[in-house]
């Protein structure tokens, strides 16, 4: 379990306000909020990688040490910056394993490639030879390569179509159960959070507004939560009317 206690993050003004949050082990947790609500900043504080000029106070306590790459898999929102332009994807993947003294698990990697609809031959391409959507999926592959027990996923479905989004989130759920992992999935969409999340955390303007199960969020009387639910229902109706696939 990870405990976040009285966390404040500041630049010229306060960006995160007195965040208190428990992230239980072996759970699929969804962090939901609009752009600028503080979701990505909270992930970067969990990684201890706040940008220059930003400071924090409060505590982040884990039951066990968490090492990025080995114990924490991070899927960044700005995935294009995650790769070295002069190495192929295969070379970077091998370096990821070597950096932690591990041998590459080829059957596992092949399974993830299939799930992400990545052609294995693309491993021999350089980042500049891949599309943005392909790079995003490779960022996911790299994040889970060493089977970490905590995955921080920042808007990982943004550039994916609905079918691949559902397949990926189904796979992450299976991964969570198979490896006893904790998934912290950051999204601005309430639909996938209600469908996949065991715990949902709502953020607004750098504050935690509400935390609960999907059922609690659906029945909430908090004005912000109710507005999100109304927007979600409207989106569902619009998708149904245009025959697009949607979340239950």
């Amino acid at each position: 379990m990870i405990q976040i206690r009285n966390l404040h993050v500041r630049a010229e003004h306060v960006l995160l306000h007195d965040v208190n949050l428990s992230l239980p082990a072996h759970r699929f947790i969804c962090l939901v909020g609009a752009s600028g609500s503080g979701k990505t900043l909270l992930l970067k504080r969990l990684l201890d990688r706040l940008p220059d000029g930003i400071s924090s106070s409060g505590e982040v306590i884990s039951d066990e040490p968490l090492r990025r790459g080995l114990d924490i898999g991070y899927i960044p929102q700005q995935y294009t910056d995650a790769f070295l332009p002069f190495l192929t994807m295969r070379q970077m993947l091998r370096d990821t394993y070597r950096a932690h003294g591990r041998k590459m698990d080829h059957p596992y990697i092949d399974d993830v490639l299939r799930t992400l609809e990545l052609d294995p031959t693309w491993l021999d391409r350089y980042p500049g030879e891949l599309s943005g959507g392909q790079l995003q999926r490779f960022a996911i592959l790299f994040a889970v390569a060493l089977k970490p027990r905590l995955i921080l996923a920042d808007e990982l479905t943004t550039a994916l179509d609905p079918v691949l989004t559902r397949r990926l989130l189904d796979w992450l759920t299976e991964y969570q159960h198979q490896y006893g992992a904790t998934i912290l999935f950051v999204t601005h969409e309430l639909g996938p959070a209600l469908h996949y999340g065991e715990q949902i955390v709502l953020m607004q303007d750098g504050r935690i507004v509400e935390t609960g199960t999907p059922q609690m969020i659906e029945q909430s009387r908090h004005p912000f939560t109710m507005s999100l639910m109304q927007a979600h229902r409207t989106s569902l109706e619009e998708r149904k009317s245009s025959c697009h696939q949607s979340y239950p």
Side-chain angles (χ1 to χ4, degrees):
M1 174 181 286
I2 298 173
Q3 295 278 352
I4 302 170
R5 297 176 181 170
N6 307 118
L7 177 64
H8 293 80
V9 175
R10 299 176 177 84
E12 294 181 356
H13 57 280
V14 179
L15 302 173
L16 292 181
H17 303 259
D18 196 25
V19 173
N20 289 275
L21 185 63
S22 295
L23 304 177
H26 320 308
R27 302 292 294 277
F28 199 119
I29 304 163
C30 296
L31 184 60
V32 183
S35 297
S37 60
K39 307 184 304 295
T40 296
L41 200 58
L42 180 55
L43 289 195
K44 289 185 176 180
R45 176 58 186 88
L46 290 175
L47 290 164
D48 200 21
R49 295 204 171 198
L50 288 173
D52 292 340
I54 296 180
S55 62
S56 70
S57 60
E59 295 181 299
V60 176
I61 304 169
S62 173
D63 291 344
E64 300 177 45
L66 294 173
R67 297 157 291 180
R68 182 171 177 178
L70 191 60
D71 302 305
I72 304 177
Y74 176 48
I75 306 170
Q77 189 172 10
Q78 301 299 327
Y79 50 86
T80 54
D81 299 331
F83 305 103
L84 298 173
F86 49 84
L87 293 178
T88 66
M89 309 311 286
R90 189 184 305 276
Q91 289 171 321
M92 284 184 278
L93 189 59
R94 284 175 177 166
D95 287 348
T96 298
Y97 277 90
R98 288 171 180 164
H100 296 282
R102 301 291 182 86
K103 295 182 66 175
M104 190 180 296
D105 186 340
H106 291 282
Y108 172 71
I109 292 298
D110 289 343
D111 176 61
V112 180
L113 287 169
R114 282 192 298 271
T115 298
L116 297 176
E117 296 185 0
L118 289 170
D119 190 318
T121 63
W122 295 347
L123 284 169
D124 296 310
R125 293 186 181 182
Y126 293 91
E129 298 174 321
L130 298 167
S131 70
Q134 291 163 354
L135 285 175
Q136 184 182 34
R137 284 176 276 161
F138 268 112
I140 297 168
L141 170 67
F142 278 55
V144 302
L146 291 165
K147 304 175 185 174
R149 52 194 172 87
L150 173 61
I151 295 178
L152 306 179
D154 193 359
E155 299 280 6
L156 84 165
T157 61
T158 301
L160 306 181
D161 63 67
V163 174
L164 186 53
T165 292
R166 185 176 289 252
R167 184 179 302 168
L168 173 60
L169 293 176
D170 285 344
W171 181 84
L172 273 179
T173 301
E174 293 173 7
Y175 177 97
Q176 172 209 354
H177 294 307
Q178 183 173 355
Y179 297 105
T182 299
I183 312 293
L184 182 55
F185 171 50
V186 168
T187 179
H188 62 275
E189 295 184 283
L190 191 56
L194 290 170
H195 187 62
Y196 290 95
E198 296 172 277
Q199 176 182 334
I200 297 176
V201 181
L202 302 182
M203 288 194 72
Q204 182 185 34
D205 299 330
R207 293 179 169 86
I208 302 294
V209 174
E210 191 162 15
T211 301
T213 65
Q215 294 75 21
M216 292 168 65
I217 296 300
E218 289 176 329
Q219 297 169 10
S220 171
R221 305 308 296 172
H222 190 288
F224 176 69
T225 307
M226 291 175 68
S227 70
L228 287 181
M229 283 301 308
Q230 182 57 48
H232 169 61
R233 294 187 185 103
T234 300
S235 176
L236 281 181
E237 290 301 320
E238 291 174 350
R239 292 182 186 184
K240 288 177 183 178
S241 65
S242 59
C243 298
H244 287 170
Q245 181 173 349
S246 61
Y247 294 95

